[in-house]
């Protein structure tokens, strides 16, 4: 089987800055102090094969969306290696539609940005309109849509841009059950076509029914990988156990887990070994800047 | 050469997606005026109102006197019409990546097109206004001359500068939001220190000793080169190669902007979302 996605010890850290200015200093690596870091992903490794449907479960803040964003190329991992063979398409609730344009115009714009030709867009627009099924509202500006309508349109557009790897990030949870069924049918169709799907949802039923394998993310680490029924059941048992705890225990448990994710890194790794490259760069910059300065000075003195 | 890798990459992306740029620009323009009752009429009402007020105020200050033999109104609009294009292109172009990154990052879409789309989007209105400018020229009895060809050269200068500046500016603006606010103030200031509303050679008349130096400092502004160039070509005053030093300075500066702009753009483009 061909590997479609490969994560190899991927870390993603978010820097926690007290002040905005620290962020800037860090950007130009002028500050040695790095401040606190939050490890959203800690040493994540997994593989997804062609034609597989893989589910991601976990509590809020366990890193599901971070993984899906890395898959879609929205953000980059801090360290580690990510290999993606194919085009990914992320379907999230915030579908990124332009509020002042009508539904039809949004379809055209988004398809255009996905790199579809004019003819192809004309061809698939009726299919998208039919799939979204929002009636005459399709000719109204999107800002007048309800949240359900927005996600229906967003989902309809995304699935029709012919993605290779589909990432569905809780996009199905807003629609009503009739639309969810429609989406699930569409996903079945994708499965039959041998497409790879990464599915993020809180619905245990959908997970079991739909996924071949499930990855359980727990506070930034992979807790368990395996067949969907097994992992989902273990996850459900965990949530049941957690819900039974007293409020104080819950808080203590959360606090303990999150504290493992925050690291106090004082010294930044030395950049000194990059010194020679920096020097060549510096030289190039001087070469480009010199004519500007020389000609500028000549201009100032030429009167 | 390896040194110009980023420049080549960014320019290649523009050329490869030239159709997409044009279509998206047309699309955004359509969306922009859809919520107004007067629609795209505002694209011309707005500048007309501004021309009227500047003509009234600065014309009155001058006592209606012509500038070096050119009627003030004509002199004014040759500078103002490009300005109505330059100012929004720079401000919107700089803001474009910040504004659209959330939408665009989820797709396989080259971010470097975003500032260009705003420049092209503003060009539609600019070209119509240039048409109006030609009519006004003829109305004032300006005779076509060989110098008019030069207009094309300065248009190339204008687009080269806008592209180079906005690729740098849009990247900086995404990383440091304060920059966008500062840029808006700077643009307001530039309107008054560029040769748009008043003739800067007045400085040399007012301050005899330091006047020429002050005017030369103003000339360091690359927009000065372009705006005076437009007047040179329409009014047939001079050729661009008559001032090789200034031409050399303009292109060296534009190239430096392009070089640093594409370099930091490529350096940060994958991480834009982390700085939001």
């Amino acid at each position: 089987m061909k590997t479609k996605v490969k994560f190899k010890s991927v870390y993603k850290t978010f820097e926690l800055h007290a002040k905005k200015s620290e962020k800037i200093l860090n950007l130009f690596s002028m500050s040695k102090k790095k401040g606190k870091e939050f490890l959203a992903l800690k040493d994540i490794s997994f593989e997804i094969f062609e034609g597989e449907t893989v589910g991601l479960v976990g509590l809020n803040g366990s890193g599901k969306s971070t993984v899906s964003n890395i898959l879609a190329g929205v953000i980059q991992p801090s360290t580690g290696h990510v290999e993606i063979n194919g085009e990914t398409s992320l379907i999230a609730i915030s579908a990124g539609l332009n509020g002042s344009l009508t539904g039809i115009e949004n379809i055209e714009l988004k398809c255009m940005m996905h790199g579809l030709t004019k003819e192809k867009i004309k061809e698939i627009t009726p299919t998208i309109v039919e799939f979204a099924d929002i009636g005459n509202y399709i000719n109204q500006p999107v800002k007048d849509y309800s949240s359900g309508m927005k996600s229906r349109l967003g989902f309809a557009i995304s699935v029709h841009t012919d993605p290779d790897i589909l990432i569905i990030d809780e996009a199905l949870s807003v629609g009503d059950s009739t639309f969810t069924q429609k989406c699930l049918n569409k996903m079945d169709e994708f499965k039959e076509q041998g497409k790879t799907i990464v599915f993020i949802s809180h619905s245990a039923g959908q997970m079991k029914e739909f996924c071949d394998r499930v990855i359980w993310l727990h506070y930034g680490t992979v807790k368990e990988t395996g067949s969907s029924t097994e992992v989902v059941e273990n996850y459900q048992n965990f949530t049941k156990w957690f819900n039974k705890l007293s409020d104080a225990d819950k808080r203590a448990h959360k606090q303990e887990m999150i504290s493992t994710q925050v690291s106090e890194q004082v010294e930044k790794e030395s950049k000194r070994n990059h010194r020679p490259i920096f020097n060549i760069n510096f030289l190039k910059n001087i070469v480009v800047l010199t004519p500007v300065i020389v000609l500028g000075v000549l201009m100032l003195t030429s009167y | 050469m390896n040194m110009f890798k980023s420049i080549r990459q960014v320019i290649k992306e523009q050329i490869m997606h030239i159709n997409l740029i044009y279509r998206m620009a047309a699309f955004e323009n359509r969306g922009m005026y859809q919520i107004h009752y007067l629609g795209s009429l505002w694209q011309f009402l707005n500048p007309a109102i501004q021309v009227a007020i500047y003509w009234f105020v600065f014309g009155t200050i001058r006592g209606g006197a012509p500038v070096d033999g050119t009627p003030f109104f004509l002199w004014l609009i040759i500078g103002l019409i490009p300005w109505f294009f330059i100012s929004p292109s720079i401000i919107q172009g700089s803001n474009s990546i910040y504004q659209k990154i959330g939408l665009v990052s989820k797709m396989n879409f080259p971010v470097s097109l975003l500032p260009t789309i705003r420049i092209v989007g503003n060009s539609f209105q600019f070209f119509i206004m240039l048409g109006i400018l030609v009519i006004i020229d003829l109305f004032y009895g300006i005779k076509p001359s060989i110098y008019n060809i030069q207009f094309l050269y300065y248009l190339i200068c204008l687009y080269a500068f806008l592209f180079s500046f906005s690729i740098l500016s849009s990247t900086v603006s995404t990383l440091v939001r304060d920059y966008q606010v500062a840029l808006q103030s700077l643009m307001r200031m530039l309107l008054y220190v560029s040769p748009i509303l008043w003739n800067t050679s007045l400085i040399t008349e007012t301050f005899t000793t330091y006047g020429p130096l002050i005017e030369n400092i103003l000339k360091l502004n690359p927009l000065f080169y372009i705006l005076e160039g437009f007047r040179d070509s329409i009014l047939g005053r001079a050729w661009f190669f008559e001032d090789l030093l200034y031409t050399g300075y303009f292109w060296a500066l534009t190239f430096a902007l392009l070089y640093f702009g594409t370099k930091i753009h490529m350096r940060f483009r994958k991480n834009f979302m982390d700085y939001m």
Side-chain angles (χ1 to χ4, degrees):
Chain A
M1 245 190 300
K2 222 174 106 192
T3 308
K4 272 298 201 191
V5 175
K6 192 174 181 181
F7 269 52
K8 211 173 148 194
S9 55
V10 169
Y11 284 79
K12 179 69 191 176
T13 55
F14 291 105
E15 286 166 26
L16 305 170
H17 292 292
K19 273 187 297 187
K20 194 94 181 157
S21 58
E22 281 176 28
K23 198 167 163 180
I24 293 303
L25 289 177
N26 241 313
L27 183 62
F28 296 106
S29 43
M30 281 188 285
S31 163
K32 269 196 174 166
K33 231 172 64 191
K34 205 167 183 179
K36 278 185 188 169
E37 275 186 336
F38 182 77
L39 277 160
L41 299 181
K42 279 190 293 187
D43 198 12
I44 300 281
S45 303
F46 62 83
E47 265 182 282
I48 297 172
F49 301 102
E50 192 167 15
E52 242 189 340
T53 303
V54 172
L56 287 178
V57 291
L59 302 171
N60 289 336
S62 60
K64 301 188 298 293
S65 290
T66 309
V67 169
S68 81
N69 277 333
I70 291 178
L71 280 172
V74 176
I75 55 174
Q76 302 296 313
S78 303
T79 57
H81 184 71
V82 176
E83 200 184 301
I84 295 164
N85 302 311
E87 291 276 309
T88 55
S89 179
L90 175 67
I91 301 165
I93 300 170
S94 51
L97 301 165
N98 186 335
S100 62
L101 296 176
T102 67
I104 285 281
E105 285 168 331
N106 265 296
I107 293 173
E108 194 184 337
L109 182 69
K110 281 204 87 181
C111 289
M112 212 147 82
M113 290 173 83
H114 273 292
L116 271 64
T117 59
K118 236 180 178 158
E119 294 74 41
K120 179 83 185 157
I121 294 173
K122 254 201 191 118
E123 192 190 311
I124 64 167
T125 302
T127 344
I128 296 177
V129 172
E130 208 207 277
F131 191 87
D133 192 22
I134 50 176
N136 284 332
Y137 265 96
I138 200 78
N139 293 314
Q140 292 295 310
V142 167
K143 63 175 161 52
D144 297 337
Y145 284 23
S146 71
S147 61
M149 277 153 77
K150 269 185 208 160
S151 70
R152 287 170 85 122
L153 182 63
F155 190 86
I157 296 172
S158 300
V159 292
H160 285 89
T161 50
D162 202 24
D164 191 22
I165 304 170
L166 205 66
I167 307 156
I168 301 169
D169 192 348
E170 294 182 46
L172 302 185
S173 50
V174 244
D176 56 30
S177 57
T178 59
F179 187 69
T180 308
Q181 196 48 51
K182 208 170 178 179
C183 295
L184 292 174
N185 291 346
K186 187 77 194 169
M187 279 166 64
D188 267 330
E189 211 177 286
F190 276 130
K191 273 175 87 168
E192 274 161 32
Q193 287 168 14
K195 291 193 172 168
T196 311
I197 302 172
V198 179
F199 189 55
I200 301 170
S201 170
H202 284 291
S203 156
Q206 278 175 16
M207 278 283 177
K208 275 192 213 166
E209 184 196 322
F210 220 73
C211 301
D212 305 317
R213 274 196 307 143
V214 168
I215 298 166
W216 176 6
L217 290 175
H218 195 58
Y219 293 101
T221 55
V222 177
K223 181 141 181 172
E224 208 180 326
T225 329
S227 78
S228 51
T229 29
E230 203 181 308
V231 177
V232 169
E233 246 151 55
N234 287 341
Y235 174 64
Q236 278 178 311
N237 286 339
F238 166 77
T239 48
K240 256 184 226 152
W241 166 80
F242 185 80
N243 284 334
K244 271 192 200 133
L245 292 178
S246 70
D247 280 351
D249 283 344
K250 274 183 194 165
R251 221 174 299 132
H253 180 73
K254 266 202 168 151
Q255 203 61 48
E256 187 197 330
M257 293 309 289
I258 285 175
S259 70
T260 63
Q261 283 182 290
V262 179
S263 73
E264 205 113 8
Q265 224 173 330
V266 187
E267 199 74 17
K268 207 171 176 175
E269 63 175 288
S270 172
K271 291 225 167 188
R272 299 229 176 265
N273 41 1
H274 297 305
R275 208 63 194 256
I277 300 166
F278 172 76
N279 266 340
I280 293 167
N281 245 327
F282 192 68
L283 209 76
K284 286 179 188 169
N285 294 350
I286 295 286
V287 169
V288 175
L289 272 180
T290 313
V292 183
I293 295 165
V294 170
L295 291 169
V297 170
L298 279 177
M299 266 180 60
L300 283 183
T301 49
S302 71
Y303 63 90
Chain B
M1 245 201 317
N2 190 34
M3 185 171 159
F4 306 124
K5 206 176 80 195
S6 307
I7 297 185
R8 272 217 313 267
Q9 163 92 23
V10 168
I11 290 180
K12 212 175 91 193
E13 282 171 1
Q14 314 294 316
I15 294 169
M16 265 172 60
H17 296 94
I18 199 147
N19 244 322
L20 182 60
I21 292 174
Y22 175 79
R23 280 162 69 202
M24 295 239 338
F27 220 93
E28 284 188 5
N29 279 15
R30 224 194 306 160
M32 214 177 279
Y33 289 96
Q34 224 160 37
I35 47 169
H36 302 97
Y37 289 107
L38 289 179
S40 50
L41 196 62
W42 278 114
Q43 289 193 48
F44 304 98
L45 271 180
N46 235 336
I49 293 165
Q50 286 188 60
V51 168
I53 191 70
Y54 288 132
W55 182 38
F56 174 68
V57 173
F58 287 88
T60 310
I61 291 171
R62 297 185 57 83
V67 183
D68 300 332
T70 309
F72 179 69
F73 181 74
L74 183 61
W75 187 90
L76 177 74
I77 60 161
I78 299 176
L80 260 182
I81 285 180
W83 179 257
F84 289 146
F85 167 59
I86 294 167
S87 175
S89 295
I90 285 184
I91 288 174
Q92 293 166 16
S94 302
N95 207 17
S96 59
I97 293 185
Y98 178 79
Q99 213 176 25
K100 292 272 159 64
I101 190 72
L103 177 65
V104 156
S105 64
K106 294 187 180 71
M107 311 180 193
N108 192 13
F109 183 89
V111 184
S112 68
L113 303 190
L114 292 174
T116 318
I117 288 169
R118 283 325 307 146
I119 296 172
V120 173
N122 282 308
S123 297
F124 298 130
Q125 181 197 13
F126 179 49
F127 281 116
I128 295 172
M129 295 230 277
L130 283 183
I132 296 172
L133 180 63
V134 171
I135 295 168
I136 295 172
D137 282 348
L138 294 174
F139 184 76
Y140 270 92
I142 300 286
K143 290 197 178 60
S145 74
I146 187 84
Y147 286 99
N148 295 160
I149 302 167
Q150 206 180 196
F151 196 82
L152 216 61
Y153 164 77
Y154 282 107
L155 266 185
I156 294 169
C157 290
L158 176 58
Y159 278 94
F161 172 75
L162 283 180
F163 176 72
S164 310
F165 182 78
S166 63
I167 195 90
L168 175 73
S169 193
S170 56
T171 308
V172 176
S173 168
T174 310
L175 301 177
V176 188
R177 275 316 277 170
D178 308 46
Y179 171 82
Q180 188 67 26
V181 186
L183 183 73
Q184 280 169 12
S185 302
L186 183 76
M187 289 310 288
R188 231 165 282 142
M189 196 183 85
L190 270 183
L191 172 64
Y192 293 97
V193 295
S194 300
I196 298 170
L197 303 174
W198 57 289
N199 186 3
T200 51
S201 58
L202 284 175
I203 304 172
T204 45
E205 289 161 28
T206 318
F207 309 103
T208 36
T209 32
Y210 290 110
L213 178 66
I214 296 170
E215 202 189 359
N216 280 343
I217 291 172
L218 294 186
K219 274 186 155 185
L220 290 178
N221 164 15
L223 294 176
F224 195 113
Y225 178 77
I226 296 166
L227 291 166
E228 276 298 279
F230 281 147
R231 289 207 179 98
D232 284 346
S233 11
I234 291 176
L235 304 172
R237 296 191 306 199
W239 289 104
F240 70 90
F241 44 76
E242 282 170 33
D243 193 350
L244 276 183
L245 178 62
Y246 201 10
T247 300
Y249 166 77
F250 173 81
W251 284 107
L253 179 68
T254 303
F255 179 76
L257 288 172
L258 183 66
Y259 175 76
F260 290 110
T262 53
K263 202 166 143 174
I264 65 164
H265 178 86
M266 293 310 285
R267 158 83 175 73
F268 287 109
R269 77 175 339 173
K270 279 197 177 303
N271 301 94
F272 278 141
M273 278 311 273
D274 285 338
Y275 294 100
M276 296 305 277

